[in-house]
Amino acid sequence: QVQLVESGGGSVQAGGSLKLSCAASGYTYNTYCMGWFRQAGGKEREGVASIGRDGSTTYADPVKGRFTISQDNAKNILYLEMNTLKPEDTAMYYCAAGFQPKCAARFTSSDYVNRYLERWGQGTLVTVSS
């Protein structure tokens, strides 16, 4: 199985930037997509961004134009560059692996990230102050 370890979270002021990293190890042969989801206190999981096997990316509307997902295949690292951060971005951010075909497109749906995720890391906390 694939193991995922997130890092890069922290506390920033509104308008600032952070770059999250996710180190993947283990068996990744059956992974159809990789993505990031977040969960704020008292709220359900929210799919943020995903990247498929072909490199195609999908973003949730609240982060479009501000966040960028990318991967370093040689190092097996997934990234999430977050710019122009807003207080509403405050949440625990998790890296996840998807094993279902077309999961890249489904990752930003509420149903998928709240019911069908199979593997994710321990999370890294992002706090944005106003």
Side-chain angles (χ1 to χ4, degrees), residues 31-94:
T31 300
Y32 281 83
C33 71
M34 295 289 290
W36 294 89
F37 71 88
R38 63 189 182 186
Q39 186 168 31
K43 297 184 178 181
E44 65 179 9
R45 296 170 183 165
E46 179 185 19
V48 174
S50 65
I51 185 166
R53 284 182 173 179
D54 61 355
S56 61
T57 57
T58 302
Y59 298 93
D61 287 339
V63 308
K64 285 182 178 178
R66 299 190 297 118
F67 291 12
T68 301
I69 187 171
S70 62
Q71 60 185 11
D72 185 331
N73 291 323
K75 298 181 179 180
N76 290 326
I77 300 177
L78 182 72
Y79 299 101
L80 183 67
E81 183 179 358
M82 305 183 294
N83 299 312
T84 319
L85 284 163
K86 303 176 180 180
E88 50 263 45
D89 293 319
T90 296
M92 185 72 76
Y93 283 71
Y94 299 86

